[in-house]
């Protein structure tokens, strides 16, 4: 079968079976093309909640499918590839957070949305990469425990110096592997280009950037900018997608190794198989997990996240 034939089959099946396909921006182009919605993790879950479909197929990683389930427990939520996890989301467990809460009882626990549903049950408020600064700034408490990404946490701490932010050692192995040397080399190879970087990168990288923001933030910045050349400091698929979107501009990779193998686990054939009722994994969460994790997400929504 050709890519086009598989895409046509998916479009037919999803209409016939009332399936809403969500695809995170790090997915392959042929998957983005057949999705109902594309975007960053939180934007996708909000779209799923408002979509009238009974079934949601998440082409992304497990915590994203869990977030959809927490926000829309009445829907059938399928993760397109059962092995697509996010190593950062699984770095900590509930017991560690409980111990930290005992050690720092006067701290508000802020969780990056890239956490498991179980972890969210013991945290106070969620943040996304696009809303973290704005949410932390608004918290009534000045003492914050930020989990699990110390790079995003350090970025927030720099923007919100009035808060005392405790960080834990953790983060995205893909973004954290980028070094200052990568940034210096890319800048010297492309002196006219602006460097756009995700806050999951280390501080030594973000401090060299012209813009630091979420996946959607980076994409919007590049599309709207009058500049013509950009070095993309997030998952490499974004440079490719932007190149299609803005053919008159030039997009360069910050590092060849900025590839998330979990995001890349899903193929177009997996999506087809899921629409045919084969493969994928239906997300099920205990009702008490949904209720407790929902409070953490609702706290973010209440603060405008
Ligand atoms: P965004 O929410 O910025 O898309 O980030 C998701 C992610 O996994 C980044 O590595
Ligand atoms: Fe997780 Fe990093 Fe992959 Fe994003 S890029 S899904 S944070 S491992």
């Amino acid at each position: 079968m050709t890519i086009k034939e598989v895409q046509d089959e998916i479009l037919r099946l999803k209409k016939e079976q009332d399936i809403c396909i969500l695809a995170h921006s790090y997915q392959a182009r042929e998957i983005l093309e057949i999705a109902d919605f594309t975007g960053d993790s939180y934007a996708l879950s909000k779209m799923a909640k408002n979509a009238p479909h009974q079934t949601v197929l998440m082409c992304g990683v497990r915590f994203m499918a869990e977030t959809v389930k927490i926000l829309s427990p009445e829907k059938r939520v399928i993760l397109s590839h059962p092995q697509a996890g996010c190593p950062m989301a699984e770095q900590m467990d509930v017991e560690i957070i409980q111990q930290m809460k005992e050690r720092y009882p006067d701290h508000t626990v802020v969780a990056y949305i890239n956490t498991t549903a179980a972890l969210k049950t013991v945290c106070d408020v969620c943040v996304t990469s696009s809303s973290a600064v704005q949410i932390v700034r608004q918290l009534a408490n000045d003492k914050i425990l930020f989990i699990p990404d110390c790079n995003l946490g350090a970025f927030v701490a720099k923007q919100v110096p009035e808060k005392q932010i405790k960080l834990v050692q953790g983060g995205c192995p893909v973004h954290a592997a980028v070094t200052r040397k990568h940034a210096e080399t890319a800048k010297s190879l492309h002196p006219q280009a602006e460097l756009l970087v995700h806050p999951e990168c280390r501080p030594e990288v973000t401090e060299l950037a012209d813009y630091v923001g979420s996946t959607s933030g980076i994409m919007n910045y590049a599309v709207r900018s009058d500049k013509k050349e950009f070095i993309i400091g997030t998952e490499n698929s974004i440079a490719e997608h932007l190149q299609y979107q803005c053919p008159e501009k030039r997009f360069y990779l910050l590092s060849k190794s900025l590839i998330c193998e979990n995001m890349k686990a899903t193929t177009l054939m997996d999506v087809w198989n899921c629409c045919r009722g084969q493969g994928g994994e239906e997300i099920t969460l205990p009702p008490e997990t949904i209720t407790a994790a929902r409070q953490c997400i609702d706290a973010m929504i209440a603060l405008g996240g």
Side-chain angles (χ1 to χ4, degrees):
M1 282 176 97
T2 64
I3 290 177
K4 176 77 173 60
E5 284 166 346
V6 178
Q7 287 180 317
D8 287 345
E9 264 303 289
I10 292 171
L11 292 174
R12 186 184 66 75
L13 284 169
K14 84 181 174 70
K15 195 168 171 192
E16 185 185 284
Q17 295 178 31
D18 196 30
I19 301 172
C20 173
I21 300 183
L22 302 180
H24 186 271
S25 314
Y26 293 170
Q27 294 291 298
R29 198 170 164 72
E30 63 265 24
I31 296 176
L32 297 182
E33 282 171 0
I34 48 81
D36 293 272
F37 300 109
T38 64
D40 61 16
S41 46
Y42 182 61
L44 291 179
S45 359
K46 280 207 288 197
M47 285 162 181
K49 186 167 154 43
N50 298 330
H53 313 72
Q54 252 317 297
T55 302
V56 175
L57 174 57
M58 170 58 85
C59 304
V61 292
R62 182 172 296 273
F63 81 83
M64 297 177 180
E66 286 186 349
T67 306
V68 173
K69 186 70 186 173
I70 294 164
L71 286 171
S72 307
E74 72 293 350
K75 291 192 174 155
R76 197 167 149 253
V77 180
I78 314 282
L79 174 63
S80 54
H81 196 298
Q83 282 158 297
C86 166
M88 159 152 61
E90 290 148 25
Q91 266 160 4
M92 301 184 82
D93 56 31
V94 169
E95 288 69 36
I96 293 178
I97 304 290
Q98 298 286 28
Q99 284 167 15
M100 288 183 151
K101 283 168 69 142
E102 278 165 31
R103 196 158 158 212
Y104 304 112
D106 53 351
H107 284 56
T108 294
V109 184
V110 176
Y112 191 15
I113 199 153
N114 296 32
T115 39
T116 60
L119 269 186
K120 288 183 178 84
T121 65
V122 289
C123 295
D124 298 307
V125 58
C126 261
V127 294
T128 65
S129 49
S130 47
S131 68
V133 169
Q134 167 211 337
I135 302 249
V136 168
R137 195 172 274 143
Q138 289 182 73
L139 292 174
N141 193 351
D142 282 343
K143 293 183 178 163
I144 311 288
L145 179 62
F146 192 98
I147 64 132
D149 186 349
C150 63
N151 291 334
L152 177 64
F155 175 71
V156 174
K158 206 169 161 193
Q159 313 297 312
V160 196
E162 65 275 22
K163 302 274 184 200
Q164 298 162 41
I165 302 183
K166 279 209 176 357
L167 305 175
V168 293
Q169 204 53 44
C172 165
V174 178
H175 287 82
V178 179
T179 61
R180 173 180 277 271
K181 182 99 180 92
H182 286 119
E184 287 170 349
T185 305
K187 277 164 91 85
S188 68
L189 281 173
H190 309 292
Q192 305 303 322
E194 284 198 318
L195 175 61
L196 317 183
V197 161
H198 198 284
E200 288 173 12
C201 289
R202 297 190 210 172
E204 68 191 44
V205 176
T206 51
E207 71 190 18
L208 297 180
D210 297 288
Y211 172 81
V212 183
S214 65
T215 311
S216 307
I218 288 176
M219 295 185 86
N220 291 337
Y221 181 97
V223 170
R224 290 180 194 146
S225 170
D226 294 335
K227 296 274 170 23
K228 295 283 176 246
E229 294 180 56
F230 305 90
I231 301 159
I232 300 300
T234 191
E235 218 279 342
N236 285 342
S237 52
I238 298 302
E240 184 194 355
H241 301 330
L242 279 168
Q243 193 63 79
Y244 277 98
Q245 223 175 320
C246 309
E248 73 293 355
K249 297 182 179 180
R250 295 297 305 274
F251 298 93
Y252 310 111
L253 304 181
L254 172 56
S255 156
K256 278 187 293 184
S257 50
L258 257 167
I259 295 172
C260 176
E261 57 192 26
N262 283 283
M263 282 284 187
K264 292 289 176 291
T266 300
T267 64
L268 188 68
M269 293 304 275
D270 290 331
V271 181
W272 185 40
N273 283 331
C274 288
C275 291
R276 293 194 294 162
Q278 299 168 11
E281 180 186 325
E282 180 168 358
I283 300 293
T284 53
L285 293 169
E288 58 278 15
T289 301
I290 291 181
T291 307
R294 175 82 195 235
Q295 285 176 19
C296 182
I297 298 177
D298 281 346
M300 168 174 77
I301 295 169
L303 292 169

